[in-house]
Amino acid sequence: MRSEKRFGRVIVIGGSMAGLLGARVLSDHFEQVIILERDPEPNGPEARKGVPQGRHAHGLLDAGLHVLETLFPGLMREMYSEGAERMDMGRDAAWYTAGSWKTRYISGIELILCTRTWLEWKVRGRVAALPQVELRSSCAVEGLITDPAHTRVMGVRFKTPEGEETLMADLVVDAGGRGSRAASWLEALGYGKPEEEEIRLRLAYTSRFFEPPPNYRGDWKMMAMFPRAPEQSRGGFIARVEGGRWLVTLHGYFGDDPPRDDKGFLEFARSLPQPDIYEAIRDAKPLTEAVVHKIPSSRMLHYERMENFPEAFVLLGDSVCALNPVYGQGMTVCSLSAQLLGQTLVEHKRASPGTMQGLSRRFQRKLSQLLSIPWMMGTTMDLKYPQAQGQRFPGLGLLHWAFGTLIDLTSVSTLACRQFYEVMHMRRGMAALLRPDLLAAFAAYGLKSLFVPLPRRANVDTLPRAPA
Ligand SMILES: Cc1cc2nc3c(=O)[nH]c(=O)nc-3n(C[C@H](O)[C@H](O)[C@H](O)COP(=O)(O)OP(=O)(O)OC[C@H]3O[C@@H](n4cnc5c(N)ncnc54)[C@H](O)[C@@H]3O)c2cc1C
């Protein structure tokens, strides 16, 4: 791969998951990769101002984990040996979702449980060690530089504690996260604005570390509880993370924010659809204060639909699409997007050797296809709440019925649960749900759902035991 390298310099705006993974992939195609990150140099795996969500529970789905392992061979083994939990989604997740507990079985679908700050720190260490990469902290990008005719991006303007600087490059990648200012930079340069899709949720996360009670014997590594829309709006997670701790996150929609104080936090946990999270944490010892993060909405910006778009500029990560975090897809989408950027560069070099012409559009179009499935899955579920503000489309009611029925079925059918996890973990596309044996089981169950109430056809009450 290295011998094919022919581009000079690429600038990556933002040194979080999308920026770091993007930089790793770009190091195969550029002589020099410069990451400009607004935050000061971190001293260790600590929460940063630019990534406030880093203090809350973050799961990395199977597809994302495999991309990371491909980009950084041995990373997962190293993290497991240093205290991250390796978990099998079918066996080790106690997951109550939308009114029923998932069936449990050995799935071969892997998840790593650790704090987001530590995962990012590990990835950062690997990326910073690459000879092509230069990671510059305390550099806040303020705008793009284009050629006089505004046909292509030539570089960036940025601020450091010492003053203002400019830097030129063959390609600029925006990975500035949800707060990225790329849309307004493009508008100020006369390109217009990207179309925006938004589902307003007013979701709040409140998280706290606990030491598990000494004699607690749960047969799970992660417990998750999702509300059944539209009647319920509260949920929570417990994840076993490095250091033998539990990271407990509670969440509520539409302004129903989980409180930060001891009593309020426990009472909120007690009010969840099932008592299991409350029962696990009531005797656990809090290790930290609780912290809150608010997520106004899920949001997607359609850069691929813009009539005018500059050459030599691409965007990835939350700067394009910030998903509802409860579905745990964001970092996996960053990984898959970085991988896609690498594949697109390989194809592009073959089709248009030695030029960036056409790369931006080619990548943003492919990225929008990749994003369409996680976006559709999450927003469809969220639009079940009448309070969720956003574009509703014909056939949504039927989709809600189909998703809801499938989810109920996953509590009693290993086949349905397996296929659902394959899609959710982004290992397979939606076609995995169209297998004839699953369709037959779905049709029979769907018919049953018209006559048999939920508690008599789904596992609504008892957490199934993990298989040995
Ligand atoms: C509460 C919460 C829980 C979540 N849980 C999960 C989960 O369980 N699993 C999962 O996969 N995802 C989860 N996510 C989503 C995940 O955090 C994001 O998808 C992911 O962090 C996106 O990475 P990013 O690099 O695109 O953006 P960010 O992580 O937001 O990082 C953007 C970076 O760019 C820098 N930056 C911004 N502007 C500039 C500038 N002008 N100049 C220089 N630097 C700049 C910032 O300082 C920051 O470092 C969660 C999100 C939230 C809010």
Side-chain angles (χ1 to χ4, degrees):
M1 186 64 77
R2 300 248 150 93
S3 61
E4 287 175 16
K5 205 183 309 166
R6 66 182 68 148
F7 297 117
R9 177 189 289 161
V10 53
I11 295 171
V12 178
I13 305 170
S16 177
M17 287 312 275
L20 292 169
L21 298 173
R24 162 61 193 89
V25 166
L26 292 161
S27 71
D28 288 336
H29 302 275
F30 286 79
E31 297 293 342
Q32 198 186 18
V33 182
I34 300 182
I35 303 174
L36 298 176
E37 167 55 49
R38 188 167 46 199
D39 278 350
E41 175 96 37
N43 296 316
E46 60 201 22
R48 298 193 282 117
K49 188 170 171 220
V51 186
Q53 74 270 30
R55 296 179 295 178
H56 300 268
H58 268 67
L60 179 67
L61 303 179
D62 186 281
L65 185 146
H66 283 97
V67 173
L68 254 67
E69 190 54 32
T70 309
L71 296 178
F72 310 108
L75 178 67
M76 293 301 138
R77 212 174 330 114
E78 180 182 310
M79 294 189 69
Y80 292 140
S81 74
E82 292 175 13
E85 283 283 352
R86 176 183 203 149
M87 84 169 238
D88 180 284
M89 184 70 196
R91 185 190 56 211
D92 303 320
W95 190 14
Y96 180 88
T97 181
S100 58
W101 289 102
K102 292 265 175 290
T103 186
R104 292 177 78 184
Y105 65 101
I106 296 171
S107 65
I109 298 177
E110 187 178 340
L111 233 117
I112 182 169
L113 293 178
C114 63
T115 57
R116 157 66 195 255
T117 45
W118 189 43
L119 178 63
E120 187 184 307
W121 176 251
K122 286 290 198 181
V123 169
R124 182 187 165 95
R126 293 278 183 127
V127 173
L130 295 168
Q132 303 86 343
V133 174
E134 189 186 333
L135 223 164
R136 293 169 67 174
S137 300
S138 303
C139 294
V141 176
E142 302 269 287
L144 303 171
I145 300 169
T146 60
D147 60 343
H150 290 192
T151 58
R152 57 161 295 171
V153 169
M154 309 283 288
V156 298
R157 288 184 287 106
F158 63 102
K159 262 198 185 148
T160 70
E162 286 75 45
E164 289 201 10
E165 286 185 40
T166 56
L167 192 63
M168 308 312 267
D170 299 296
L171 177 69
V172 174
V173 177
D174 183 276
R178 189 177 180 127
S180 157
R181 285 163 51 209
S184 44
W185 294 336
L186 291 177
E187 196 184 9
L189 287 165
Y191 291 101
K193 269 178 155 172
E195 273 174 46
E196 179 174 330
E197 273 185 89
E198 189 176 35
I199 311 292
R200 291 197 65 77
L201 299 168
R202 292 196 295 125
L203 174 65
Y205 267 44
T206 304
S207 299
R208 195 170 194 188
F209 284 96
F210 286 85
E211 182 181 309
N215 42 16
Y216 186 84
R217 299 275 169 269
D219 68 352
W220 46 266
K221 295 184 180 177
M222 180 191 80
M223 181 178 285
M225 210 161 280
F226 284 13
R228 187 173 180 93
E231 354 20 309
Q232 300 161 345
S233 61
R234 296 179 167 191
F237 314 86
I238 306 180
R240 281 202 217 168
V241 296
E242 72 275 10
R245 298 165 298 167
W246 281 351
L247 176 50
V248 180
T249 288
L250 303 178
H251 66 266
Y253 287 94
F254 311 113
D256 184 12
D257 303 358
R260 289 179 53 211
D261 63 286
D262 294 5
K263 188 159 172 278
F265 191 87
L266 270 182
E267 280 308 311
F268 193 97
R270 201 214 288 262
S271 73
L272 296 182
Q274 292 286 320
D276 303 65
I277 290 186
Y278 169 72
E279 286 170 1
I281 64 171
R282 72 181 159 197
D283 298 321
K285 182 174 153 201
L287 296 173
T288 55
E289 295 294 314
V291 288
V292 179
H293 186 88
K294 300 204 180 189
I295 303 107
S297 60
S298 305
R299 192 212 60 182
M300 168 119 87
L301 295 175
H302 289 283
Y303 287 101
E304 80 287 356
R305 294 185 192 159
M306 284 175 75
E307 217 166 285
N308 299 312
F309 195 77
E311 300 288 352
F313 182 58
V314 299
L315 306 98
L316 75 165
D318 277 17
S319 69
V320 181
C321 181
L323 298 155
N324 178 342
V326 302
Y327 305 116
Q329 299 156 313
M331 297 190 302
T332 296
V333 167
C334 288
S335 319
L336 293 168
S337 307
Q339 188 184 50
L340 180 70
L341 180 58
Q343 288 161 358
T344 311
L345 269 160
V346 170
E347 283 169 27
H348 183 79
K349 276 182 187 171
R350 266 190 227 125
S352 318
T355 165
M356 284 289 153
Q357 193 80 20
L359 176 79
S360 310
R361 279 206 183 276
R362 190 187 282 238
F363 174 68
Q364 297 310 142
R365 268 203 292 265
K366 282 173 181 269
L367 182 65
S368 83
Q369 285 164 12
L370 187 157
L371 296 172
S372 62
I373 292 182
W375 175 261
M376 189 276 273
M377 281 182 80
T379 55
T380 300
M381 306 293 271
D382 293 340
L383 284 170
K384 235 177 153 181
Y385 287 107
Q387 308 95 307
Q389 292 167 20
Q391 185 77 37
R392 287 173 163 78
F393 49 88
L396 182 64
L398 188 63
L399 260 185
H400 283 157
W401 175 81
F403 266 19
T405 304
L406 176 68
I407 283 171
D408 298 343
L409 180 59
T410 58
S411 74
V412 288
S413 157
T414 305
L415 167 69
C417 198
R418 184 181 296 281
Q419 297 310 106
F420 175 76
Y421 281 162
E422 290 282 343
V423 176
M424 185 192 120
H425 280 262
M426 301 184 75
R427 284 165 43 124
R428 314 267 305 271
M430 295 298 266
L433 301 178
L434 302 177
R435 263 173 63 143
D437 49 357
L438 178 56
L439 284 180
F442 176 84
Y445 190 83
L447 195 62
K448 194 169 168 186
S449 75
L450 301 177
F451 306 103
V452 180
L454 183 70
R456 287 190 20 228
R457 62 185 156 85
N459 174 18
V460 298
D461 280 326
T462 316
L463 168 60
R465 300 187 66 138

